[in-house]
Amino acid sequence: DIYDEMESLAVHEKINLKSLDSNSLKKFLVDQDIGIACSGLAYYILNAESENRGEGTLDRHLSFPFCKGIFGKAVCKMRPVENAGVSTFAHEKNSREINLKDAQPGDIITFIDDDRNHILKIHQIEYQNFVPTLLHYTHSIAYPEDGEYGHGVRQGWIEITDPTKAIIQQNWSEKYLSEKADNSTITLRRLLFL
């Protein structure tokens, strides 16, 4: 979707995308307001996971509890990526909270707060004696210090120092997220159909 939108705008603006280096291309994308938010990234990754497991597309499994009325529900079903925000993924109709010791690749970590919700997608877990010791995650974020063009998809990890404590009480590789976590309701969740 991003590629198609980028090509369409490049034709309209008469820009040869092949002539752009990576910094110029990123500037073009940001200036055109093309990119992927954390929930969009999570959606596309989880959709691929769903299809790889033979479960079909993700929209078949998601409920859209914040879409109201017949027209609103139809729009949400027709445009699921744009309507599957963090609150939708974190809703009890779509996912359930799990214990840290039960974490698996494919699980999500949601941050719900008054400012801006956020979601991380766990893609790898390291274990010691069958107990998770390191959760590797992927997300898309714009840190305040990133400026206008420094943001995007990132990866990080959470070191599990005590699996009996909450996920917020573990050792986070990204300081900004651990600070954001202090002001958010954070839960480790698994989609109901996985």
Side-chain angles (χ1 to χ4, degrees):
D1 291 342
I2 289 174
Y3 184 79
D4 291 343
E5 184 69 18
M6 179 180 66
E7 273 195 327
S8 175
L9 284 168
V11 168
H12 183 265
E13 299 286 326
K14 296 180 173 88
I15 294 174
N16 179 0
L17 293 174
K18 293 179 182 176
S19 70
L20 300 179
D21 63 18
S22 61
N23 288 335
S24 298
L25 180 59
K26 185 166 192 171
K27 184 178 182 318
F28 171 74
L29 291 169
V30 171
D31 290 346
Q32 298 296 326
D33 200 26
I34 298 174
I36 192 161
C38 62
S39 58
L41 179 65
Y43 185 97
Y44 282 111
I45 294 170
L46 291 165
N47 186 65
E49 180 71 22
S50 179
E51 289 180 331
N52 285 341
R53 291 182 182 203
E55 300 286 342
T57 57
L58 182 59
D59 63 304
R60 292 182 50 211
H61 305 283
L62 283 183
S63 174
F64 295 92
F66 304 105
C67 297
K68 304 296 181 196
I70 294 171
F71 180 73
K73 289 178 181 181
V75 168
C76 287
K77 277 299 189 180
M78 290 180 356
R79 300 180 72 91
V81 179
E82 295 163 12
N83 291 288
V86 177
S87 295
T88 297
F89 282 114
H91 196 277
E92 64 186 17
K93 290 184 176 184
N94 293 314
S95 66
R96 62 182 168 83
E97 189 170 358
I98 59 168
N99 292 320
L100 194 51
K101 65 180 178 55
D102 299 322
Q104 296 177 4
D107 292 337
I108 56 176
I109 301 170
T110 57
F111 297 65
I112 304 294
D113 63 39
D114 293 334
D115 181 35
R116 174 173 257 167
N117 296 337
H118 193 58
I119 188 169
L120 312 174
K121 163 69 174 63
I122 297 173
H123 64 267
Q124 179 185 353
I125 300 178
E126 295 180 32
Y127 298 88
Q128 186 173 23
N129 299 325
F130 305 103
V131 176
T133 57
L134 203 60
L135 306 179
H136 296 268
Y137 60 81
T138 302
H139 67 129
S140 180
I141 194 164
Y143 291 135
E145 66 271 11
D146 287 342
E148 192 172 0
Y149 302 109
H151 55 279
V153 175
R154 301 176 191 270
Q155 294 187 326
W157 49 261
I158 303 167
E159 180 185 15
I160 309 303
T161 56
D162 185 345
T164 64
K165 292 185 177 177
I167 197 161
I168 182 56
Q169 296 172 305
Q170 309 304 323
N171 183 20
W172 293 64
S173 66
E174 294 180 272
K175 184 180 179 197
Y176 177 81
L177 287 182
S178 65
E179 291 170 355
K180 181 173 178 50
D182 288 338
N183 300 312
S184 303
T185 300
I186 283 192
T187 53
L188 174 61
R189 308 187 71 81
R190 181 167 300 142
L191 293 179
L192 296 176
F193 77 97
L194 293 178

